[in-house]
Amino acid sequence: MMNPALRECGIGGRYVRVRVEAGEFEEALRLLPAAGFTGTNVTIPHKFAALRAVDEVDPLALTLGAVNTVRFENGRLWGSNSDGPGFLRALRESFGVEARDLRILLLGAGGGAGRAVAIQCALERCRRLVLVNRTAAKVEELCRELRALAPGAEPEIVAWTGDALREALGTIDLIVNATSLGMDPADPPLAPAEALGRNHCVFDMVYKPLRTRLICDAELRGARAINGLSMLLHQGAISFETWFGREAPLEAMRSGLEGAAAALEEETR
Ligand code: NAP
């Protein structure tokens, strides 16, 4: 999606992948501006090291404890994080809703992406925030953090059992899957399918495959459902805006991303 965006805006440059070993991350990051780079995305496992390596960090990235976008300017490194803002934009574009108006149930709240979404939803003061995670200790810790960060947000924890989810889903508007379950067709179902209904929006952050079991189950029961591509797209647009200080060419990025995702899906079939 980035190379079509650069072409669309007439920016002479390329988006390339650079593989860096953990022990060499900071040195590599500091070498990039001299090599002509404007900025970079940072992915697993370097997002935490990136927070320590940058000269300036935006408050949301500091709260999340992770940086995934770096801009190089006047010899300084500026770090930010697009996870939460990308989620909000995707929600707005795909379902026409704002997180603050919703009762949200988040599966996988203890992972990296889940934590980012939970913090963003708490900061937005969503109407209800229900956290679910396989490892209970992680969401208990996150809940303590959220109460300190966003007083009044009142996050709740629900155990990952069929009965507990069935009961919770009766008073939920948006279900978010932030676990890696769904990437393998043999994965168990995330939630009891019969508890999904027309009153639900489902946001599956997985984008490979494009149609997960959760999405199929949700649509069969009349819910509206999207995969993780929209969040990826909007995260990309936020990075582009961060690097170039101009609006991202969203449609060029969307068609680049959808083309790449479809080709990948075809390849793995
Ligand atoms: P992560 O930090 O490794 O977290 C994985 C999460 O999945 C944890 O909550 C983990 O629970 C849970 N999990 C893993 N296996 C499970 C199982 N068998 N049963 C129940 N829960 C299980 O990974 P991440 O970086 O947050 O990524 C999570 C997913 O989000 C991936 O599919 C990734 O591709 C997607 N993602 C999408 C976007 C996007 O733009 N669309 C952005 C970021 C991530 P425990 O805490 O109990 O281990």
Side-chain angles (χ1 to χ4, degrees):
M1 73 178 142
M2 289 301 181
N3 286 321
L6 295 171
R7 278 196 295 278
E8 177 76 12
C9 293
I11 298 170
R14 272 189 308 144
Y15 186 85
V16 295
R17 185 161 48 174
V18 180
R19 187 185 163 87
V20 177
E21 297 302 327
E24 297 170 349
F25 174 75
E26 186 162 353
E27 192 188 354
L29 192 66
R30 298 247 162 226
L31 287 173
L32 289 177
F37 286 90
T38 301
T40 182
N41 285 129
V42 178
T43 189
I44 293 169
H46 300 307
K47 293 185 191 181
F48 310 107
L51 176 73
R52 294 190 296 272
V54 293
D55 302 308
E56 308 278 347
V57 60
D58 99 344
L60 184 60
L62 195 60
T63 301
L64 289 174
V67 156
N68 67 6
T69 307
V70 184
R71 174 167 56 97
F72 307 135
E73 196 180 289
N74 302 326
R76 293 182 74 72
L77 309 184
W78 299 75
S80 54
N81 192 305
S82 61
D83 282 336
F87 169 77
L88 291 184
R89 285 195 193 184
L91 201 58
R92 200 170 291 138
E93 186 190 66
S94 304
F95 296 131
V97 292
E98 297 293 333
R100 63 174 168 272
D101 297 326
L102 301 174
R103 298 167 296 178
I104 301 171
L105 182 137
L106 175 57
L107 295 154
R115 188 182 135 76
V117 169
I119 289 177
Q120 194 69 55
C121 292
L123 291 174
E124 293 290 306
R125 303 293 197 283
C126 66
R127 283 179 58 203
R128 188 174 173 214
L129 182 57
V130 177
L131 307 177
V132 187
N133 201 61
R134 177 181 58 181
T135 311
K138 288 196 203 169
V139 274
E140 284 158 11
E141 174 59 33
L142 177 63
C143 255
R144 280 191 284 277
E145 224 181 299
L146 293 178
R147 286 195 189 103
L149 258 178
E154 305 295 341
E156 303 158 48
I157 298 177
V158 160
W160 199 326
T161 67
D163 284 347
L165 287 178
R166 228 173 265 116
E167 191 183 335
L169 286 172
T171 48
I172 286 296
D173 308 304
L174 175 72
I175 302 155
V176 181
N177 173 32
T179 75
S180 38
L181 287 180
M183 297 180 76
D184 184 337
D187 282 341
L190 278 149
E194 73 283 1
L196 303 171
R198 305 179 74 81
N199 49 322
H200 291 133
C201 289
V202 172
F203 193 136
D204 195 337
M205 287 175 65
V206 171
Y207 46 81
K208 204 176 122 216
L210 294 170
R211 283 182 62 74
T212 59
R213 179 173 184 168
L214 176 64
I215 290 182
C216 295
D217 283 349
E219 286 182 349
L220 259 176
R221 282 159 184 83
R224 290 196 288 161
I226 58 164
N227 61 29
L229 271 196
S230 59
M231 178 165 164
L232 195 59
L233 170 71
H234 286 286
Q235 287 194 265
I238 290 167
S239 290
F240 188 94
E241 290 160 9
T242 304
W243 300 324
F244 299 109
R246 60 189 282 183
E247 198 179 330
L250 202 60
E251 292 318 311
M253 296 178 81
R254 192 191 311 276
S255 81
L257 180 61
E258 286 177 354
L264 191 64
E265 186 108 324
E266 190 58 36
E267 223 173 77
T268 49
R269 194 162 282 161

